[in-house]
Every structure is written in C-alpha cells, then in structure tokens.
Amino acid sequence: MAINRVGLIGFPVEHSLSPIMHNAAFKALGMYDWLYDAMSIPPDILRLGLREPRDHGYIGINVTVPHKEAIMAYVRPDEKARAIGAVNTVDFRSNIGTNTDADGFIDDLRANDVSIAGERVLVLGAGGAARAAVYGLVGAGAEVAIVNRTRSRAEALVEHLRVSAGIGGLRLMTPNEAADWGMSLIVNCTSVGLHPQVHQSPWSQNLPFPAGRIVYDMVYRPATTALMRQCLAHNGRAIGGLGMLARQGAISFELWTGVKPPIDLMRRVLQDALESAHKD
Ligand code: NAP
C-alpha cells in the first residue's frame, strides 16, 4: 500500500501534539494509507532540510517555530500567508504556502458563539500569533487595539498589516489605557502563562480587571491559565486555545486530503494527550 505522507517541520518538534491529532483523524476516517510525522530541522539547514519531505513525496507539511517566516523564501506564499507574514501549511503539489492560524482562531471563536463583528477586541502580544489574530479579527469586522510589552514590535505589527494587507485603524495602547477601553473580548497572543510559568498572567495584578468580559487565551498548556482565572473571578467567560489548535490543523487536513476532518475528535484527542502528559 502506497502511503500518503504529511507532517510537521520545526525545531524542536518532539513535544508537538499534531501527529497524534492528525493520525487519530486518519484512523477514525479509515484513511489507513495516510501518515503524519514530525521532522526536526535546525534553522541553519532549513533549505536543505526541506528536501527531506519533498524528495520523499510528502503531500504537504505544517510548519512551526522557528521556520514559519523563513520558509516563505522557499514556497509560494498565498495572499493570507503574505498578509500575516508567516506560513504554517505547505502543499508540495503546488508549492503554495498558506496560514491557517487566523481561520482556525476565528472558526473557534464562532464555534464558541463569540460575537466579533462591530466588537472592540484587545489583543495582547505582537508576535506571529498576534499578527494572525489581528488579521482574522479585522477581517471578521472587529475594532482592534493592541498591547505589547515591547512597543516597537507592536508598531512593526501595525506597519506590516498596513503594508501587506491594507489594514488601517489599528490602535496601540498602554495596559492602563486598555483597562478603560471597554472591549468585549481580550485575546492573549503572548506566551505568558504557558507551562511551566503557569502563575504568570499578561494582565498585571496591579491593574483592575474589567468585569464581564470574554478572554480567549491562545495558550492551551495549562487548560486554564492565570489570565483565564482572573477573567472568571470577575464574572467573565474564558476560553483556552485548544480549539484553535484543533481547527487550524483541521484546515490543513482538508487542504491536503480533500476530506472534512472530525474536528470534535481531534480536539478530544488533544485534550486527552495534554491530560495524560500532566499525570506523568
Ligand atoms: P512569538 O512570536 O515569540 O511572540 C511572543 C509574544 O509574547 C510577544 O508579543 C512577546 O512580547 C510576548 N511575551 C513573551 N514573554 C513575555 C513576558 N514575560 N511579558 C510580556 N509579554 C511577553 O510567539 P507566537 O508565535 O506569536 O506565539 C504566542 C503564543 O501563542 C504561544 O504561547 C503559542 O504557543 C501560542 N499559539 C497558540 C496557537 C493555538 O493554536 N492555540 C497557535 C499559535 C500560537 P515582546 O514582543 O515584548 O517580546
């Protein structure tokens, strides 16, 4: 039986949950001739390393840290990837690179019945995940403001989205300004709160936390972050980033296979894997 291969490149990739998620979906759909595996490629040999999946007939790959930007030189980035400035999915049949983070994030907000159009949304962070979030939120009709520890990086994000996607009207704020802004949704796109720094929150303890808001935390290790707890303690609603992880993967899955993936199963498999990792 010829195997249809897809996979992940990154450095490191050993802790990635993508192989478990995609292989569970293949199995559930009886797609026994499909296999997803992970390849660790150091940054200095990315170009050479890409020959490995290409020469071995891989249909496509996901791309994770630290290659999401560098790989744009070796594939044909589509409009979305150019706008976000990063590729996380490649189809080797066309050599097109795309980015599924923005759609995965917006899909998950919608799956959780979070209103976006016309809403004020505060984005914390200014890295690659923030670029995808802002791009997706503006596309869905939100009014977006950004807070980041390093202001110059937030300025660079605003400039990038202006030039690459024609997005204007983004606001940069200090944490104090943001606290009074009256947003309905706060999206954490920083890595603050990520295991093992589970007690840290990107919302300073010295700032009052606005009541009754929704927090979407892209961090999914742990399932409930310190920021989510702050929000819940102030009569808010908190959603972790596991659904986004499943949904951005599901978009890649459908792109490569042409088959609709079992998203609920993929999410459950991710949750089980994280829970069992915590028991170790
Ligand atoms: P990145 O490009 O490295 O950006 C990291 C961001 O976190 C920057 O804005 C950085 O601020 C901020 N930050 C880091 N440490 C901080 C601290 N101690 N205090 C305040 N801010 C701090 O990373 P990324 O690729 O955007 O990813 C960000 C997070 O999103 C990661 O936790 C990642 O796992 C998560 N993510 C989740 C999904 C999902 O599917 N759920 C998808 C993509 C990413 P400075 O600019 O000041 O350094």
Side-chain angles (χ1 to χ4, degrees), residues 68 101 125-130 148-150 153 189-192 194 200 218-220 241 244-245 248:
K68 286 185 182 188
D101 277 340
N148 192 49
R149 174 179 61 177
T150 310
R153 200 163 177 209
C189 302
T190 77
S191 42
V192 182
L194 184 66
Q200 293 182 3
M218 286 200 182
V219 170
Y220 50 83
M244 172 179 172
L245 185 65
Q248 56 81 28

Side-chain angles (χ1 to χ4, degrees), residues 63-92:
V63 183
T64 189
V65 178
H67 301 316
K68 286 185 182 188
E69 293 174 17
I71 198 169
M72 292 178 77
Y74 309 120
V75 298
R76 292 196 293 138
D78 69 2
E79 194 184 327
K80 206 167 285 179
R82 282 199 308 274
I84 296 169
V87 160
N88 78 341
T89 303
V90 177
D91 188 330
F92 283 131

Side-chain angles (χ1 to χ4, degrees), residues 2-42:
I3 298 292
N4 297 299
R5 286 184 176 274
V6 286
L8 169 74
I9 66 161
F11 189 75
V13 288
E14 287 72 23
H15 298 296
S16 170
L17 299 173
S18 292
I20 299 173
M21 171 174 77
H22 284 278
N23 288 325
F26 291 143
K27 194 173 165 198
L29 294 171
M31 297 166 71
Y32 299 112
D33 53 345
W34 284 79
L35 183 69
Y36 186 111
D37 58 12
M39 283 157 275
S40 185
I41 299 181

Side-chain angles (χ1 to χ4, degrees), residues 142-166:
E143 184 188 346
V144 177
I146 299 150
V147 169
N148 192 49
R149 174 179 61 177
T150 310
R151 189 169 173 100
S152 58
R153 200 163 177 209
E155 288 166 353
L157 180 152
V158 170
E159 180 61 6
H160 172 87
L161 288 174
R162 187 186 69 74
V163 172
S164 66

